[in-house]
Amino acid sequence: MKLGIIAAMKIEAELIEAAMTNVTRETCGSIEYCLGKIGNTDIVLAVCGIGKVFAAICAQTMIVKYAPDAVINTGVGGTLTKKLSVGDVAVSSAMVQHDMDTSALGDPVGLISCINIVEIPADAALAGKISAIVRGMGINTVTGTIATGDQFIGSQAVKDRIVNTFGAIACEMEGAAIGQVCFVNKVPYGILRAISDGGDEQAFADYPTFLAAAAKTATEVMLRFVENWR
């Protein structure tokens, strides 16, 4: 069994790589893929870069070239709910693209053309296992819809729009692209986001302040997950 792990930024992946043994590296395009093991689990780890396009490129290449049995996207994000504060963890039951909008053609906001769905379902078993691990670590967690877009959310008005449209619990910039690639390739996927900011005007101050701590929380969850995956 092989697990694919994708992070957007090096800070979200470096402690995972440090836990890997027998590491080899291959570069495809601009993305480096680290191959190795954590315990008895084969890992392929990549830092995709920020935004949906880099995330999709990375996920498609990972699936085609390395054939993981599941893909987990880990990292940080902004909260969209009072139930999650900085340091807590959001787990995805489904992903949406909050900046996808063909409603002028009569479509629902967020409808993803060609697959014709708004919500991309995450793998329920993976989500349940991640959530259980987070709770076992004594960290507050909520499972629900996570919203992706090529936009750092730092506005209460935008935050409210995303919540009112999609009922999302957190926002970030890569997960739904990875989810879409996994969906069309029939590969189970999971998304977790440690909360780094509030997604409102205060986010511009919170994010640089709490990024490192949130990234460490996400990494610690991922390492526990790998230990208990099989």
Side-chain angles (χ1 to χ4, degrees), residues 1-18:
M1 297 284 284
K2 182 184 295 180
L3 181 65
I5 303 174
I6 299 175
M9 299 180 291
K10 184 177 180 180
I11 194 173
E12 298 167 325
E14 55 192 2
L15 294 179
I16 298 172
E17 183 178 346

Side-chain angles (χ1 to χ4, degrees), residues 122-132 188-189 225 229:
D123 184 81
L126 291 175
K129 183 161 286 188
I130 294 168
S131 180
Y189 82 93
F225 173 83
W229 181 38

Side-chain angles (χ1 to χ4, degrees), residues 176-196:
I178 293 167
Q180 183 174 343
V181 170
C182 289
F183 181 84
V184 299
N185 284 281
K186 297 180 173 57
V187 175
Y189 82 93
I191 310 282
L192 71 97
R193 287 292 185 270
I195 301 301
S196 58

Side-chain angles (χ1 to χ4, degrees), residues 29-113:
S30 63
I31 298 172
E32 181 180 77
Y33 296 83
C34 295
L35 311 174
K37 285 182 173 292
I38 297 178
N40 294 320
T41 300
D42 291 316
I43 302 291
V44 53
L45 170 69
V47 176
C48 65
I50 295 170
K52 292 193 296 182
V53 174
F54 278 128
I57 291 169
C58 179
Q60 184 66 26
T61 301
M62 180 180 283
I63 290 168
V64 170
K65 187 172 178 64
Y66 302 108
D69 296 285
V71 172
I72 305 293
N73 175 216
T74 180
V76 305
T79 182
L80 299 178
T81 173
K82 293 180 180 179
K83 295 179 181 180
L84 290 169
S85 301
V86 169
D88 296 339
V89 173
V91 178
S92 174
S93 59
M95 299 300 302
V96 297
Q97 296 185 32
H98 67 77
D99 57 354
M100 185 72 177
D101 187 355
T102 54
S103 59
L105 301 174
D107 297 329
V109 174
L111 184 76
I112 301 170
S113 301

